[in-house]
Amino acid sequence: MFEKMTIEDCLNYNREELITQSYERIRSIDPVIKGFITVVEKPQINDGPYRGIPIAIKDNIATKGIKTTCASKILENYVPPYDATCVKRLKDYGFVILGKTNMDEFAMGSSTERSAFFATRNPWDTDCVPGGSSGGSAAVVASGQVVAALGSDTGGSVRQPASFCGVVGFKPTYGLVSRYGLIAFASSLDQVGPITKSVRDAALMMEIIAGKDPFDSTTVSRKIDFLSQIEEDIHGMKFAVPKEVYEYEQLDGEVAERFEEVIRTAQKLGAMVERVKIPSMKYAVATYYVIAPAEASSNLARYDGVKYGLRIEETGLRDMYMKTRNAGFGEEVRRRIVLGTFTLSAAYYEAYFNKALKVRKIIANDINQVLDKFDAILTPTSPIPAFKVGSISDPLTYYLMDIFTVPANLVGIPAISIPFGFVRNKPIGLQIMGKRFDDGKVLRIARNFEKTSPYNDNGRIRLPVVRI
Ligand code: GLN
């Protein structure tokens, strides 16, 4: 049963078989799921402890000699001459990259419908989106095409698709994983993270990809132990549940019910749960949607038709820029560039961008204060389960869904989404946020929930049967 195998399962399996099985699965399933933008024809196979284990990489992470499009027309034919640090490390350990996964263009979105190429489908219900922006990565892992994948998370893009597809998605503490080779969206928020079929696999990948990198000065040299305490229990731990979760209008009633079961499970595990007020949390979406577009508008200035990427020939530099950027960027990306340029302009900088930075500080102080008293904060990952492709068009409704995931990026803390039950036959996720550098503890808490969740089979998460 290749499709259900975790990285750890692969270690005791005939490695030569793995790649063949992965390709077979991609060939039969991906025409329906559409998770891959590129499938690698001749993969590079290195020696190492994880030799032959097939994985996929989100298409905004640079892979040497393999097209890296960011799901954008502006980078449609871009082939990086180097590997992102996280990719290089995985390759050095023997992992084999079989393909690059679909995403919302430049990681701006929550559904993978905003890819410039095509929409990816949710393996649990192919009428629905897989979440986003790392929807391709979550979908190919959930549908068992590869064993694990990397995504990127600026405001929830690893956790929310993991929750929609019923797999594990981990966003590490900011600075633990190098961003070298990750195509920048909002640099103060971006982190690469694993999408896997078990919490242990997420920890295992973190052991490999985390660490100081001379190519990214925001990486820290602190050594984090992700794996060795993961099986320890959580007796006596204290969890906070923000009261704001229940006050949120768009919270689906059944998601709320499942979340009550989370609280009962926590108590069964010997932990204490307390409801706390974190009033500034309700400003997180507004703050994020000022800061992220501002940073994006600056980061995306480099795609001008001159240096690399698409160029639409035109007489005169200004016209060439305009034509290139108009043809190369999709609607959502252009919306964010306009938003960001506006909030950074001399007339509005104080009123918007600077204000947002101040609110970011307040949110960070409030959340850090709670985490000084509690071991973790629990919320649903998303207020709703996966929705139908094409059903949400209003940008504001779409942005508001990010309510529970953006705080962790604004504060720079670790957060994981693990499957916790189903709503109308679609998986939903539990989010666990911890203190900065408490990544090991977050994974350990997640592992305890994974083991005892009434929705899992003997401590293993349930995976979908894809109908083709
Ligand atoms: N949904 C959020 C956005 O659209 C988060 C995206 C991300 O984490 N890359 O910006």
Side-chain angles (χ1 to χ4, degrees):
M1 285 295 260
F2 170 77
E3 64 266 31
K4 294 205 189 302
M5 281 169 65
T6 62
I7 297 172
E8 289 189 306
D9 295 334
C10 292
L11 296 174
N12 310 311
Y13 194 82
N14 178 352
R15 304 285 181 89
E16 320 306 321
E17 280 273 302
L18 290 168
I19 295 173
T20 319
Q21 296 214 27
S22 186
Y23 273 125
E24 267 170 27
R25 192 81 188 151
I26 293 172
R27 226 167 287 130
S28 62
I29 303 282
D30 209 51
V32 178
I33 301 295
K34 300 193 169 92
F36 284 103
I37 292 178
T38 304
V39 176
V40 175
E41 274 170 35
K42 285 203 181 72
Q44 184 186 335
I45 305 174
N46 294 343
D47 243 339
Y50 299 95
R51 181 181 52 85
I53 300 182
I55 57 168
I57 307 286
K58 186 178 182 179
D59 214 20
N60 61 347
I61 303 175
T63 41
K64 187 175 178 174
I66 306 170
K67 229 172 41 169
T68 299
T69 69
C70 234
S72 179
K73 289 208 176 102
I74 213 147
L75 286 174
E76 192 165 4
N77 300 310
Y78 173 60
V79 179
Y82 70 108
D83 275 324
T85 301
C86 53
V87 167
K88 185 175 181 308
R89 292 193 180 180
L90 289 170
K91 278 164 71 173
D92 287 347
Y93 275 80
F95 282 104
V96 184
I97 291 158
L98 284 205
K100 303 296 299 288
T101 55
N102 199 17
M103 52 184 280
D104 293 295
E105 184 178 1
F106 280 96
M108 297 173 186
S110 314
S111 66
T112 314
E113 294 164 290
R114 289 171 173 174
S115 160
F117 308 130
F118 47 82
T120 295
R121 302 293 170 145
N122 189 313
W124 289 90
D125 179 346
T126 50
D127 289 337
C128 287
V129 302
S133 63
S134 315
S137 285
V140 299
V141 172
S143 58
Q145 303 186 47
V146 288
V147 181
L150 286 187
S152 70
D153 192 311
T154 305
S157 281
V158 160
R159 290 161 283 155
Q160 186 259 20
S163 126
F164 277 20
C165 292
V167 288
V168 175
F170 181 58
K171 183 205 89 74
T173 293
Y174 183 83
L176 286 188
V177 181
S178 169
R179 289 178 294 110
Y180 180 70
L182 168 67
I183 295 176
F185 164 10
S187 310
S188 77
L189 304 160
D190 296 340
Q191 269 294 283
V192 169
I195 295 181
T196 57
K197 294 177 206 162
S198 75
V199 176
R200 291 182 58 93
D201 274 6
L204 202 149
M205 285 185 100
M206 283 305 300
E207 290 280 345
I208 298 167
I209 62 175
K212 178 91 191 146
D213 179 12
F215 293 124
D216 175 1
S217 59
T218 61
T219 52
V220 292
S221 46
R222 193 162 169 149
K223 176 90 188 76
I224 306 280
D225 197 336
F226 299 97
L227 206 53
S228 72
Q229 288 155 37
I230 203 164
E231 296 299 336
E232 283 173 28
D233 68 29
I234 54 169
H235 239 92
M237 279 198 186
K238 280 168 34 189
F239 300 144
V241 169
K243 289 192 174 143
E244 289 68 26
V245 166
Y246 302 96
E247 288 161 13
Y248 184 64
E249 271 168 47
Q250 276 87 356
L251 179 68
D252 183 290
E254 287 183 55
V255 171
E257 278 172 32
R258 280 303 91 72
F259 191 58
E260 286 310 302
E261 273 173 64
V262 164
I263 295 173
R264 287 196 289 277
T265 306
Q267 287 159 343
K268 241 188 258 162
L269 289 164
M272 200 203 80
V273 182
E274 200 177 301
R275 285 166 221 257
V276 300
K277 267 190 118 37
I278 316 180
S280 60
M281 231 180 88
K282 57 177 169 294
Y283 304 114
V285 171
T287 308
Y288 172 87
Y289 279 98
V290 172
I291 293 174
E295 292 188 25
S297 72
S298 162
N299 275 325
L300 270 54
R302 71 191 68 166
Y303 307 104
D304 55 6
V306 177
K307 298 185 265 302
Y308 57 97
L310 181 80
R311 172 189 295 188
I312 309 285
E313 293 295 348
E314 189 57 56
T315 46
L317 194 59
R318 194 190 159 90
D319 286 346
M320 190 278 284
Y321 280 170
M322 280 182 23
K323 283 239 162 108
T324 299
R325 288 170 68 83
N326 256 323
F329 290 135
E331 189 189 339
E332 180 62 22
V333 177
R334 276 181 281 146
R335 178 182 297 122
R336 299 213 190 181
I337 292 173
V338 171
L339 254 172
T341 308
F342 175 79
T343 60
L344 287 177
S345 62
Y348 294 99
Y349 180 89
E350 284 298 328
Y352 295 106
F353 187 69
N354 222 8
K355 180 75 77 48
L357 291 185
K358 288 179 188 157
V359 182
R360 181 179 188 174
K361 255 269 153 51
I362 293 171
I363 297 170
N365 283 342
D366 286 357
I367 289 185
N368 285 331
Q369 256 173 32
V370 172
L371 288 170
D372 279 339
K373 292 196 219 94
F374 293 86
D375 294 282
I377 297 174
L378 310 181
T379 71
T381 306
S382 164
I384 51 167
F387 49 90
K388 288 228 152 68
V389 174
S391 65
I392 303 184
S393 51
D394 167 47
L396 220 53
T397 314
Y398 195 90
Y399 294 167
L400 282 168
M401 293 185 301
D402 295 339
I403 175 83
F404 301 137
T405 49
V406 292
N409 303 76
L410 290 170
V411 186
I413 53 177
I416 195 168
S417 176
I418 54 165
F420 201 91
F422 297 83
V423 163
R424 300 182 290 281
N425 297 322
K426 285 183 276 283
I428 56 161
L430 158 66
Q431 175 177 242
I432 305 162
M433 288 184 270
K435 229 190 187 143
R436 200 160 148 73
F437 300 121
D438 262 357
D439 300 60
K441 194 199 259 182
V442 166
L443 288 157
R444 166 178 161 196
I445 297 168
R447 173 69 186 128
N448 274 272
F449 275 104
E450 180 185 54
K451 270 196 276 195
T452 33
S453 164
Y455 299 98
N456 289 350
D457 300 323
N458 287 326
R460 289 180 76 108
I461 63 175
R462 251 190 261 166
L463 293 163
V465 178
V466 186
R467 273 180 284 273
I468 42 170

